[in-house]
Amino acid sequence: MKLKTLLTLLITAAFSTQVAFAAEEDSALAKEMKTMNKSLRTLKRQIADPAKKEDNLALLATIKKTIEASHKLDPAKIKDVPEAERAAYKQKYNAQLDDLDKTFDEVAAALKAGNEGDAKKAFDKLTEQKEKGHKDFGADDE
Ligand code: HEM
């Protein structure tokens, strides 16, 4: 009987921990980033397919919107930055998003010109910008 109670307790505890994790909501910024990530993955997969050109341009438009929305949001880690340094922190964050946006323009230009080599170069740059952005602004990388 005692063992059964103990097991029930353990199972309940494990289950509630899982529920607690699942209930942890994404920040508004994380949601934008996830949308960007998903669109970028599809774009990378099909950029060389001429039949997908319109679809790819639409993906780029979605991505541009996520960057625009991200500008208006704060990274969650801003709460750990001293009040006096927050404006500079946000400015630096916005500047890195601007750089990212420009690189997506390079992807769009390469796509329109049908230049796969340039698209590949721009994708590599995006990866670097993402890594730097995540390091500087405390995102946990996937
Ligand atoms: C190709 C470029 C990028 C991609 C694909 C990308 C993707 C992602 C993904 C998938 C997440 C995780 C969301 C989650 O599971 O919680 C994330 C989080 C985050 N990213 Fe990006 N990211 C990119 C560039 C950047 C840049 C340039 C910055 C900064 C200027 C940035 C700042 C952040 C921050 C701060 C978070 C954490 C969310 C929060 O603080 O609320 N990311 N990103």
Side-chain angles (χ1 to χ4, degrees):
M1 182 63 182
K2 263 191 180 166
L3 183 66
K4 200 177 158 196
T5 314
L6 184 66
L7 279 176
T8 311
L9 269 175
L10 279 176
I11 290 165
T12 313
F15 183 69
S16 6
T17 317
Q18 225 176 14
V19 169
F21 275 125
E24 207 176 282
E25 268 274 317
D26 272 345
S27 67
L29 178 58
K31 283 184 189 153
E32 295 297 337
M33 289 278 159
K34 280 187 174 175
T35 304
M36 172 161 60
N37 196 32
K38 210 172 151 216
S39 305
L40 178 58
R41 276 174 197 225
T42 311
L43 185 64
K44 277 183 171 170
R45 201 170 54 231
Q46 61 185 36
I47 191 119
D49 183 353
K52 297 276 184 180
K53 192 167 174 176
E54 287 310 310
D55 193 15
N56 288 335
L57 289 171
L59 286 168
L60 279 163
T62 302
I63 290 170
K64 299 276 282 188
K65 274 193 206 145
T66 67
I67 298 178
E68 202 185 315
S70 302
H71 267 108
K72 297 180 191 129
L73 300 164
D74 289 336
K77 292 273 159 61
I78 202 166
K79 64 177 183 340
D80 304 329
V81 175
E83 192 87 38
E85 291 164 29
R86 284 191 189 167
Y89 183 85
K90 190 66 200 296
Q91 216 169 14
K92 186 175 157 194
Y93 161 80
N94 279 341
Q96 290 189 25
L97 285 179
D98 285 339
D99 288 344
L100 192 73
D101 196 60
K102 283 186 199 134
T103 311
F104 276 110
D105 286 342
E106 289 170 20
V107 176
L111 173 66
K112 285 175 191 160
N115 189 330
E116 240 185 279
D118 279 359
K120 165 89 181 56
K121 270 186 221 153
F123 284 142
D124 289 347
K125 202 158 138 189
L126 286 173
T127 305
E128 283 166 24
Q129 287 170 325
K130 171 184 161 179
E131 280 167 8
K132 179 158 174 50
H134 285 188
K135 188 164 157 270
D136 290 354
F137 301 100
D140 306 321
D141 250 317
E142 334 101 81

